[in-house]
Amino acid sequence: MAVSHSADRTKQMPVIEVNGLTKVFRTYRKQPGFTGALKGLFRRQYEQLEAVKQVSFNIEAGELVGFLGPNGAGKTTTLKMLSGLLYPTSGMARVLGYVPWERRDGYRRQFALLLGQKNQLWWDLPARESFELNAEIYGISRADRDRRVGEMSELLGVRDKLNVSVRELSLGERTKMELIAALLHEPKVLFLDEPTIGLDVVSQKTVREFLREHNARRHTTILLTSHYMADIEALCKRVIIIDHGTIFFDGLLSEVVDRFADSKLVRIQCDASAECPAESLARYGEVVERTPGSIQLRVKRERVIAVCKALLDELPVTDIDIQEVPIEEVIRRIFAR
C-alpha cells in the first residue's frame, strides 16, 4: 500500500516546479577609448546583471503555457536553465523530478528544446538523414522512426521535402523540420522559444495547428515563448508574464484583459448624414476611428453603460457594439510599463 500511495503522489506532482530561480551574469564594462582599454588590462570593472530574479511557478502535466515578456525580460534564460544549458545563481527547479542542470541521461531523453532560428539539423544533408542520426542516438527503432517522421511531416506539409538538403529549404520548411527533429523521441516536456519567428502567416498557422494537435494527442507539457499574440491566443489558456526578470502575472489569458485593460471599445453605427463633431464625442471617450456612419470610442470600463445610454439618446444610432480591447494591445501596454 505504501508503494501505491507514493506512486499516486508522484503522478500528482507538477511536471515543472520552479522555486526562487535566479540567474546573475557578471559582465565586463569597458571604458571608452585607448586609455580605457589599457586600464582594462590591469583593473577590470565588472557589473552584475540579474537576468532572472526569484522566479517561481508550477506547470502540470499536459499544460500548454505561454511565457511572455519583452526582449531581455529573462524568458530565454529561464528556458535554458530548465533545459540544463545554464546553471542558476540560486533557487531550485525540477522537471519530471530531475534537476535540469545535473544533466542526467534520464532527463535528457524526456525533454526537447527548440530555439527559434537555431539549427540542430545538419545544414548540408537532407533532413531525413538528420532524423536517422537522432533516432540512433535515442535508440528509436527504424519502424517507429519512419512512422513518426511520416505522421509529423504529413501534418506539417513537408513530406515531399524530406530528401532536400536543409540549406535549400525555405525558412518555414526548415522550422517544420526542426520541430520534427525535436519531437522525434516523443519528449514529455517541450520548451519552445519563438518557434514561428520570421514565418509567413500560412506557416505560422500550420505550426500552431500542429502543436495544438500534438499537445492534445500526446499530452506533452509545453512552455512556449512568442512575440506573436496569435500563437498565444490560439494555443494557451494560461500565460506567465515576465518583465525585468520577475514574474508579473501568472494566470488565465482571459484574465489579462479584465485585470489590465481599463477601457472597452464602443462602436456605433448611425446615419451617415448625422453630424457628430469630434469635440462633442471626446467627452465620452477617446475617438479611435471615425468613418462616415461609424464611430469607435475607447471608453473607461466603469462608464460604458452610461456612455452607451447617452449616445442612444443624442444620436440617430442604428447599431451599437461593445468589445474588449484586443489582447495584443493590452500585452503591449503591459510591456511598455
Side-chain angles (χ1 to χ4, degrees), residues 12-306:
Q12 295 171 2
M13 288 173 58
V15 168
I16 301 174
E17 300 176 89
V18 179
N19 187 18
L21 203 60
T22 299
K23 180 62 180 178
V24 179
F25 291 101
R26 186 169 178 250
T27 59
Y28 165 55
R29 187 175 64 185
K30 179 185 176 298
Q31 296 184 21
F34 180 70
T35 304
L38 287 177
K39 289 181 179 178
L41 292 174
F42 302 99
R43 181 183 297 176
R44 292 201 161 197
Q45 294 185 350
Y46 293 91
E47 57 184 20
Q48 305 280 357
L49 173 63
E50 281 190 294
V52 175
K53 310 172 191 175
Q54 294 291 317
V55 164
S56 300
F57 59 84
N58 291 338
I59 297 179
E60 304 295 332
E63 275 197 281
L64 204 167
V65 179
F67 198 34
L68 306 180
N71 290 329
K75 305 185 301 297
T76 302
T77 300
T78 302
L79 292 189
K80 286 183 176 180
M81 286 190 284
L82 293 179
S83 60
L85 296 179
L86 290 177
Y87 284 79
T89 304
S90 62
M92 180 51 66
R94 289 189 178 276
V95 184
L96 297 167
Y98 294 90
V99 177
W101 44 90
E102 291 180 354
R103 301 179 182 176
R104 300 286 179 84
D105 187 60
Y107 176 54
R108 289 185 292 177
R109 290 180 175 275
Q110 297 186 74
F111 89 96
L113 169 67
L114 181 61
L115 300 172
Q117 298 195 7
K118 294 291 191 299
N119 299 320
Q120 60 177 321
L121 299 175
W122 289 88
W123 192 249
D124 295 309
L125 297 177
R128 186 187 295 277
E129 295 189 27
S130 290
F131 299 155
E132 291 174 0
L133 177 60
N134 282 10
E136 290 295 326
I137 292 172
Y138 285 102
I140 302 170
S141 69
R142 177 178 296 183
D144 284 343
R145 179 200 70 201
D146 292 343
R147 176 179 56 79
R148 295 173 191 177
V149 170
E151 289 176 356
M152 289 190 285
S153 61
E154 186 70 30
L155 287 171
L156 289 167
V158 290
R159 193 161 193 168
D160 60 335
K161 302 292 184 180
L162 290 172
N163 293 316
V164 177
S165 174
V166 171
R167 68 164 58 251
E168 296 176 6
L169 298 175
S170 69
L171 176 60
E173 292 165 346
R174 201 158 60 242
T175 299
K176 293 169 186 177
M177 295 298 187
E178 295 282 352
L179 193 53
I180 293 172
L183 293 172
L184 187 60
H185 62 291
E186 296 188 343
K188 294 180 180 178
V189 175
L190 176 62
F191 300 118
L192 292 173
D193 188 27
E194 302 286 352
T196 59
I197 189 169
L199 303 189
D200 61 73
V201 292
V202 176
S203 294
Q204 288 177 24
K205 186 173 184 291
T206 301
V207 170
R208 286 197 294 265
E209 290 176 349
F210 172 81
L211 290 173
R212 186 191 298 112
E213 175 72 13
H214 187 85
N215 174 254
R217 291 176 59 187
R218 301 290 181 184
H219 302 288
T220 306
T221 304
I222 302 176
L223 187 57
L224 164 70
T225 80
S226 179
H227 283 114
Y228 297 127
M229 282 308 301
D231 292 348
I232 303 300
E233 288 185 277
L235 296 172
C236 307
K237 291 183 178 179
R238 174 187 170 195
V239 293
I240 298 172
I241 302 177
I242 185 172
D243 192 19
H244 293 91
T246 59
I247 297 295
F248 181 79
F249 174 84
D250 183 355
L252 296 176
L253 179 62
S254 58
E255 293 177 356
V256 173
V257 172
D258 294 335
R259 183 167 172 180
F260 298 106
D262 60 354
S263 305
K264 287 192 175 187
L265 298 176
V266 177
R267 180 180 292 276
I268 60 171
Q269 302 282 344
C270 56
D271 190 341
S273 62
E275 293 189 12
C276 305
E279 56 272 14
S280 66
L281 293 171
R283 68 179 186 271
Y284 298 120
E286 177 190 351
V287 179
V288 177
E289 181 183 331
R290 186 175 180 183
T291 61
S294 175
I295 304 161
Q296 188 176 61
L297 301 172
R298 189 190 307 276
V299 181
K300 293 293 184 182
R301 299 180 79 90
E302 65 273 11
R303 297 189 61 220
V304 168
I305 295 177

